[in-house]
Amino acid sequence: MTGLAIGLAAAAGLAAAAGDVLQRSSARHEKSDPHESVRLLVRLLRRPLWLLGVLVSLGGLVSHITALSLGQITVVQPLLVTELPLAVLGSALFLGGRLAPRDWVGVALLAASLAGFVSLLSPEGGHPLTVPGPVWAIGAGLVLGVVAVLTVVAWRRGRDTRAALLGVASGTGYGLSGAFFSAAGRQVAQHGPAAVVLTWQTYAAVAVGLLSFYLLQNALAAGALVAVEPGVTLTNPLVAVSWGVVVFGEATATGWRLVGALGCAALIVVGVFVLSRSPALQAGRGG
């Protein structure tokens, strides 16, 4: 089951990258304005390329939810980092960017560090279905409070700073959405497909996911992918892994294996920042 969850998580990262590049290609000439954000979505809904990107992203979401129902969130969510190197390659192919030699170093570094992180961390257990309601409420309230603060600050900043902060807000929301989807997926695994409409976490995940999607579209319109991707890429797994360990009670390796996993996590951060400065992601700046 863990191997299948890893494969599905990697597929979700691929779909997310393809969806982001398609949406960015369609929104590259748009401007992000706090007073025009709803109208922006209305305009984008009329564009076939943007809608295709949404459909691809939704396919990735299905793969992501299935992975969460089969494996621990501390394994599945970090693998979504694969979205970044794939977004770099997609931007080079479809947005007119170019690849630098260091990009391939970043891709190799991310691939090796992700493999090391997952194999060394070796998470086990976790009980998302036994988390009390008040714990869900307090935890979700804290995370959404962070999202709200980031969003308010973002609207008061210039183009690329706004894009970066909205990217962080979006990634934070997606991490929380992943936690909700993890619980919903476990319900489906235990009680069958009908459970998807009977568990409240499904509706919470959709609501937070839509909010995160809304913030991401405004981030993509505000600036280049180079400004957006690091926040989206890093905060999503950071929030999800923290939730998995603290709230779900997933047990991770200890001793030298934990030290090694933390070292790999640091290398993941390095790889993300190397790739986030790729010339390919400079293509298609927003207005």
Side-chain angles (χ1 to χ4, degrees), residues 130-266:
T130 62
V131 176
V135 175
W136 278 107
I138 293 172
L142 289 173
V143 174
L144 290 174
V146 171
V147 172
V149 170
L150 287 168
T151 303
V152 170
V153 174
W155 289 130
R156 300 173 182 272
R157 296 295 184 268
R159 185 172 62 185
D160 279 350
T161 302
R162 181 189 304 167
L165 290 173
L166 288 176
V168 173
S170 175
T172 302
Y174 277 129
L176 177 60
S177 181
F180 284 130
F181 273 128
S182 180
R186 295 294 179 90
Q187 287 280 16
V188 172
Q190 288 190 15
H191 305 291
V196 74
V197 297
L198 299 177
T199 177
W200 66 266
Q201 285 96 341
T202 300
Y203 303 100
V206 171
V208 176
L210 287 174
L211 171 64
S212 304
F213 178 77
Y214 168 80
L215 293 173
L216 178 60
Q217 297 313 304
N218 280 275
L220 291 172
L225 279 172
V226 65
V228 178
E229 282 292 348
V232 175
T233 303
L234 291 174
T235 55
N236 181 340
L238 176 62
V239 170
V241 169
S242 299
W243 194 282
V245 173
V246 175
V247 180
F248 290 167
E250 295 182 2
T252 62
T254 58
W256 70 268
R257 293 179 67 90
L258 178 59
V259 173
L262 293 175
C264 289

Side-chain angles (χ1 to χ4, degrees), residues 36-47 50:
E36 297 285 336
S37 55
V38 175
R39 292 182 182 179
L40 167 64
L41 285 180
V42 172
R43 291 195 299 272
L44 292 175
L45 282 169
R46 299 171 182 168
R47 298 179 182 177
W50 187 85

